[in-house]
Amino acid sequence: MSMILIVLSAVLVLALGGCACVVWAARGGPRWTRGVSRATLLAGELVRASGRSRGDRNRGSSGSSDGGD
């Protein structure tokens, strides 16, 4: 269980650091913050896209079962 906690803590720290870099880069931060912010925004888009594709599949299957009732 402690390994899961360590991994989740690391993911949380990386996400918060990425968000801070997005804000810092938007305010004219150093060049490296722009790179980190691009990576953070890309990762967010990928997560959002994967969530949409899973949501569409779930909605389609639940919609077909609702139509049968």
Side-chain angles (χ1 to χ4, degrees):
M1 175 151 160
S2 64
M3 188 63 169
I4 293 173
L5 184 61
I6 291 170
V7 170
L8 289 176
S9 297
V11 169
L12 180 63
V13 167
L14 287 173
L16 290 175
C19 291
C21 282
V22 169
V23 172
W24 193 8
R27 295 179 180 218
R31 174 176 259 167
W32 66 268
T33 60
R34 291 180 214 136
V36 174
S37 69
R38 271 191 215 118
T40 302
L41 293 172
L42 178 63
E45 287 297 321
L46 292 174
V47 168
R48 185 182 306 167
S50 71
R52 270 192 235 139
S53 65
R54 276 189 276 153
D56 290 342
R57 278 188 239 140
N58 290 340
R59 251 184 269 135
S61 64
S62 67
S64 63
S65 65
D66 290 339
D69 287 343

PDB file of all heavy atoms in Angstrom, residues 1 6 9 17-18 21 29 46 54 63-64 69:
ATOM      1  N   MET A   1       0.823  -1.192   0.000  1.00  0.00           N
ATOM      2  CA  MET A   1       0.000   0.000   0.000  1.00  0.00           C
ATOM      3  C   MET A   1       0.867   1.256   0.000  1.00  0.00           C
ATOM      4  O   MET A   1       0.513   2.253  -0.600  1.00  0.00           O
ATOM      5  CB  MET A   1      -0.920  -0.002   1.202  1.00  0.00           C
ATOM      6  CG  MET A   1      -1.702   1.270   1.295  1.00  0.00           C
ATOM      7  SD  MET A   1      -3.253   0.991   2.074  1.00  0.00           S
ATOM      8  CE  MET A   1      -3.641   2.629   2.554  1.00  0.00           C
ATOM      9  N   ILE A   6       3.147   6.326  -2.625  1.00  0.00           N
ATOM     10  CA  ILE A   6       4.314   7.036  -3.170  1.00  0.00           C
ATOM     11  C   ILE A   6       4.072   7.403  -4.633  1.00  0.00           C
ATOM     12  O   ILE A   6       4.342   8.529  -5.056  1.00  0.00           O
ATOM     13  CB  ILE A   6       5.587   6.179  -3.005  1.00  0.00           C
ATOM     14  CG1 ILE A   6       5.955   6.078  -1.526  1.00  0.00           C
ATOM     15  CG2 ILE A   6       6.732   6.750  -3.818  1.00  0.00           C
ATOM     16  CD1 ILE A   6       7.046   5.070  -1.240  1.00  0.00           C
ATOM     17  N   SER A   9       1.438  10.135  -4.885  1.00  0.00           N
ATOM     18  CA  SER A   9       2.017  11.404  -4.439  1.00  0.00           C
ATOM     19  C   SER A   9       2.910  12.005  -5.512  1.00  0.00           C
ATOM     20  O   SER A   9       2.886  13.211  -5.754  1.00  0.00           O
ATOM     21  CB  SER A   9       2.817  11.204  -3.153  1.00  0.00           C
ATOM     22  OG  SER A   9       1.980  10.778  -2.111  1.00  0.00           O
ATOM     23  N   GLY A  17       3.146  20.750 -10.269  1.00  0.00           N
ATOM     24  CA  GLY A  17       4.282  21.441 -10.865  1.00  0.00           C
ATOM     25  C   GLY A  17       4.008  21.850 -12.301  1.00  0.00           C
ATOM     26  O   GLY A  17       4.381  22.948 -12.733  1.00  0.00           O
ATOM     27  N   GLY A  18       3.342  20.988 -13.049  1.00  0.00           N
ATOM     28  CA  GLY A  18       2.971  21.320 -14.421  1.00  0.00           C
ATOM     29  C   GLY A  18       2.006  22.484 -14.482  1.00  0.00           C
ATOM     30  O   GLY A  18       2.148  23.386 -15.323  1.00  0.00           O
ATOM     31  N   CYS A  21       3.868  25.642 -13.871  1.00  0.00           N
ATOM     32  CA  CYS A  21       4.637  26.051 -15.052  1.00  0.00           C
ATOM     33  C   CYS A  21       3.745  26.660 -16.121  1.00  0.00           C
ATOM     34  O   CYS A  21       4.165  27.571 -16.830  1.00  0.00           O
ATOM     35  CB  CYS A  21       5.406  24.864 -15.617  1.00  0.00           C
ATOM     36  SG  CYS A  21       6.886  24.493 -14.678  1.00  0.00           S
ATOM     37  N   GLY A  29       7.502  33.513 -18.209  1.00  0.00           N
ATOM     38  CA  GLY A  29       8.589  32.832 -17.502  1.00  0.00           C
ATOM     39  C   GLY A  29       9.714  32.416 -18.428  1.00  0.00           C
ATOM     40  O   GLY A  29       9.677  32.676 -19.633  1.00  0.00           O
ATOM     41  N   LEU A  46      -4.635  14.743 -23.883  1.00  0.00           N
ATOM     42  CA  LEU A  46      -4.688  13.290 -24.075  1.00  0.00           C
ATOM     43  C   LEU A  46      -5.599  12.626 -23.056  1.00  0.00           C
ATOM     44  O   LEU A  46      -6.373  11.730 -23.397  1.00  0.00           O
ATOM     45  CB  LEU A  46      -3.276  12.701 -23.997  1.00  0.00           C
ATOM     46  CG  LEU A  46      -2.338  13.070 -25.138  1.00  0.00           C
ATOM     47  CD1 LEU A  46      -0.928  12.547 -24.857  1.00  0.00           C
ATOM     48  CD2 LEU A  46      -2.849  12.537 -26.458  1.00  0.00           C
ATOM     49  N   ARG A  54     -13.904   6.866 -23.782  1.00  0.00           N
ATOM     50  CA  ARG A  54     -14.493   5.900 -22.855  1.00  0.00           C
ATOM     51  C   ARG A  54     -15.920   6.268 -22.519  1.00  0.00           C
ATOM     52  O   ARG A  54     -16.784   5.419 -22.414  1.00  0.00           O
ATOM     53  CB  ARG A  54     -13.670   5.807 -21.572  1.00  0.00           C
ATOM     54  CG  ARG A  54     -12.501   4.873 -21.706  1.00  0.00           C
ATOM     55  CD  ARG A  54     -11.862   4.652 -20.386  1.00  0.00           C
ATOM     56  NE  ARG A  54     -10.934   5.760 -20.159  1.00  0.00           N
ATOM     57  CZ  ARG A  54     -10.563   6.210 -19.000  1.00  0.00           C
ATOM     58  NH1 ARG A  54     -11.022   5.671 -17.916  1.00  0.00           N
ATOM     59  NH2 ARG A  54      -9.724   7.204 -18.890  1.00  0.00           N
ATOM     60  N   GLY A  63     -27.289   3.361 -23.431  1.00  0.00           N
ATOM     61  CA  GLY A  63     -28.415   3.838 -24.227  1.00  0.00           C
ATOM     62  C   GLY A  63     -29.160   2.701 -24.888  1.00  0.00           C
ATOM     63  O   GLY A  63     -30.366   2.694 -24.995  1.00  0.00           O
ATOM     64  N   SER A  64     -28.429   1.651 -25.315  1.00  0.00           N
ATOM     65  CA  SER A  64     -29.086   0.522 -25.964  1.00  0.00           C
ATOM     66  C   SER A  64     -29.880  -0.295 -24.929  1.00  0.00           C
ATOM     67  O   SER A  64     -30.935  -0.817 -25.242  1.00  0.00           O
ATOM     68  CB  SER A  64     -28.066  -0.372 -26.674  1.00  0.00           C
ATOM     69  OG  SER A  64     -27.176  -0.931 -25.741  1.00  0.00           O
ATOM     70  N   ASP A  69     -36.031  -1.264 -22.581  1.00  0.00           N
ATOM     71  CA  ASP A  69     -37.010  -1.327 -21.469  1.00  0.00           C
ATOM     72  C   ASP A  69     -38.334  -0.773 -21.844  1.00  0.00           C
ATOM     73  O   ASP A  69     -38.615   0.060 -22.545  1.00  0.00           O
ATOM     74  CB  ASP A  69     -36.490  -0.551 -20.251  1.00  0.00           C
ATOM     75  CG  ASP A  69     -35.365  -1.295 -19.557  1.00  0.00           C
ATOM     76  OD1 ASP A  69     -35.236  -2.518 -19.813  1.00  0.00           O
ATOM     77  OD2 ASP A  69     -34.620  -0.667 -18.799  1.00  0.00           O
TER      78      ASP A  69
END
